[in-house]
Amino acid sequence: MSGAPGATDDGGPNAAQGRLGNRRRATTGPDLRLLVPAMLAWVAAASVLTVPALPVVLVAGVAATLALFALTLSRRPHREGPLRRRPRRRALACMAHPLVALSLAALALVGVSVAAHSAVRAAGPVADLADDHAIVELVGTVTSDPMVFSGARQDRPGVRLRLSVHEVTGHGLRSHVATPVQVVADQSWSRVRWHERVRARGKLVPPQPGDDVSAVLRPMDPPIVVRQPGPVARAAEHLRAGLRDAATPLPADARGLLPALVVGDTSRTPPSLTEAMRTTGMTHLAAVSGSNVAVVLAFAMGGASLCGVGRRWRPAVALAVLAGFVVLCRPEPSVVRAATMGAIGLIGLSRSRRSAGIPVLSAAVVVLLVLDPWLARSFGFALSTLATLGLLLFTRSWGRAIGRRLPRRIRSWGPAIAIPIAAQAMCAPVVVLLQGSVSVVGVVANLLAAPMVA
């Protein structure tokens, strides 16, 4: 006989709705499951960069086979059985978890990527010529802006840049290649422009183990320009030059900081300013970081809204603006990484898509490692990832906690104050490895600088 109206047993609809509500409340927290495959892929990529390609391919094949096996087990229907299982059945049950399949698949992807990149970079005679310290003549495209550094003699600074070599002549043989080479030269190379094709003569020497180039070129003569940059590269350089010219009347520190802050152009940054920013933990401001990209995306979305662009088309507008910004800042690995992390950070701050922030970050880490495995050993990549993770994990809760302790009129400032604190807290372990200490002043300095950056 049924009870009073509205009363249900444990299996009734109200109980089911209660369990569903509890489940929903339990899943409102951050989804950290995909972080495990991403971190395993990161560690694997950093570990096998200097390993020969064949063993890496074999390990990647084993990981892919196990991933397929685990995926097959996870799709089998679960059968009720005795509580006490044999060790073999317990092992198979662990293998059947989808997280195991994802982790093994990520390891396989990264392993194949490392082996493929290593094979492509080793193709051609450039590495062998570097081992012989051969004098060569090569033709290549400039893929990074010249960076001035202090050489052994302070009165003669050097220039460092990257070339994508297309043709190399050494030991009487000419070969067509596609090999990255780092150039360490004198001031005569400071005038080359991004995406220029140049001809150079010099000595090739081996790089440091684990570097993302096949050789280091020490030129003997100034470069000869073979072909000018394309229209897109010329337009980007025109805008960068215009920004430098606009900052010329400013004092020395501001003249160097403004282009570095906006587009990562550090060609005019005084050494004293660089040292002061390093001391206060603000060197990230002099490079294109995820915060720069987040500011650009926020202004793009806001501008699209003011111009009457529909909500559906605003992400496309923001994506187009982001692509232009990447070209303006040079599509180097650090800029692409910053663009990715900035876009993810913006997703994490969105109310409607906040729960997707950490899964998207995890997937982005794996994709970036597949595209460029050498990011696994980049401190910049680690800092960007940790800062973005701190933003996704702590900005909301810390912002509420800070807001409760602020006067009522400025309680809405809580998340803005929490952003640099969360990023600094997550990056502190890597900063200790880099500098040997954590700057307490850096937290305050970044806190004060954050609203000024935008």
Side-chain angles (χ1 to χ4, degrees):
M1 183 175 178
S2 62
T8 59
D9 56 11
D10 291 341
N14 290 346
Q17 292 179 0
R19 287 194 297 269
L20 180 60
N22 292 335
R23 187 181 298 112
R24 287 178 177 174
R25 286 192 294 269
T27 58
T28 55
D31 187 355
L32 304 179
R33 292 172 295 177
L34 291 182
L35 274 180
V36 176
M39 295 301 104
L40 288 176
W42 194 339
V43 173
S47 303
V48 301
L49 281 178
T50 56
V51 177
L54 182 58
V56 176
V57 170
L58 293 177
V59 174
V62 173
T65 303
L66 292 177
L68 290 174
F69 179 64
L71 184 62
T72 303
L73 289 179
S74 65
R75 289 186 174 183
R76 288 184 178 180
H78 178 70
R79 296 179 179 178
E80 297 293 338
L83 295 178
R84 294 183 180 179
R85 297 180 177 179
R86 296 179 180 177
R88 183 179 177 183
R89 291 185 178 179
R90 287 199 298 266
L92 290 177
C94 294
M95 280 289 294
H97 200 287
L99 187 61
V100 176
L102 283 175
S103 301
L104 291 170
L107 292 177
L109 279 175
V110 171
V112 171
S113 173
V114 171
H117 280 83
S118 300
V120 170
R121 292 174 186 271
V126 173
D128 294 333
L129 291 172
D131 292 336
D132 296 339
H133 291 71
I135 304 297
V136 300
E137 181 176 322
L138 53 81
V139 177
T141 300
V142 179
T143 57
S144 69
D145 286 319
M147 299 294 296
V148 179
F149 67 95
S150 300
R153 295 178 55 182
Q154 296 295 328
D155 58 335
R156 298 183 62 182
V159 174
R160 185 183 294 111
L161 56 93
R162 290 171 62 96
L163 281 181
S164 177
V165 178
H166 310 302
E167 181 182 304
V168 60
T169 303
H171 294 332
L173 298 176
R174 177 179 298 179
S175 304
H176 294 277
V177 295
T179 306
V181 169
Q182 185 178 34
V183 179
V184 180
D186 56 23
Q187 285 290 314
S188 64
W189 281 75
S190 62
R191 295 186 295 272
V192 299
R193 294 184 295 170
W194 180 61
H195 264 223
E196 273 186 340
R197 181 166 291 193
V198 298
R199 185 184 302 275
R201 189 174 71 92
K203 177 189 289 188
L204 286 179
V205 297
Q208 295 293 326
D211 280 358
D212 58 346
V213 294
S214 297
V216 176
L217 176 70
R218 301 188 183 278
M220 298 178 174
D221 304 310
I224 300 174
V225 178
V226 177
R227 191 177 69 188
Q228 297 293 331
V232 175
R234 288 200 302 268
E237 180 57 32
H238 178 72
L239 289 175
R240 290 169 67 93
L243 180 59
R244 290 193 297 266
D245 293 341
T248 298
L250 299 175
D253 283 355
R255 182 168 60 245
L257 179 61
L258 183 60
L261 181 67
V262 178
V263 295
D265 186 353
T266 59
S267 59
R268 292 187 178 183
T269 306
S272 58
L273 178 61
T274 301
E275 183 60 30
M277 296 179 70
R278 183 179 296 111
T279 302
T280 55
M282 301 177 69
T283 53
H284 62 92
L285 295 180
V288 178
S289 63
S291 59
N292 297 57
V293 176
V295 169
V296 171
L297 289 176
F299 273 94
M301 297 286 284
S305 176
L306 291 177
C307 293
V309 179
R311 185 181 298 272
R312 179 181 300 179
W313 297 102
R314 290 175 196 171
V317 173
L319 185 61
V321 172
L322 179 60
F325 183 69
V326 168
V327 172
L328 180 63
C329 298
R330 310 298 192 227
E332 300 177 2
S334 60
V335 178
V336 175
R337 176 200 71 216
T340 305
M341 296 305 171
I344 294 170
L346 198 64
I347 291 174
L349 292 178
S350 171
R351 292 183 179 180
S352 60
R353 296 181 295 271
R354 184 180 291 117
S355 60
I358 293 180
V360 172
L361 173 63
S362 305
V365 167
V366 176
V367 171
L368 288 174
L369 290 175
V370 170
L371 295 177
D372 186 2
W374 281 267
L375 287 175
R377 294 189 179 183
S378 169
F379 281 106
F381 181 63
L383 290 172
S384 292
T385 305
L386 289 175
T388 306
L389 182 61
L391 185 149
L392 297 175
L393 286 177
F394 305 124
T395 298
R396 189 180 180 186
S397 57
W398 290 9
R400 287 198 302 262
I402 293 173
R404 287 195 297 267
R405 290 163 175 79
L406 293 176
R408 179 172 299 179
R409 292 183 179 180
I410 59 173
R411 283 183 180 177
S412 61
W413 295 10
I417 297 174
I419 287 175
I421 297 177
Q424 192 82 0
M426 289 296 293
C427 293
V430 179
V431 173
V432 170
L433 292 176
L434 286 173
Q435 300 181 358
S437 62
V438 178
S439 174
V440 179
V441 178
V443 177
V444 180
N446 280 276
L447 182 61
L448 296 176
M452 299 297 104
V453 172

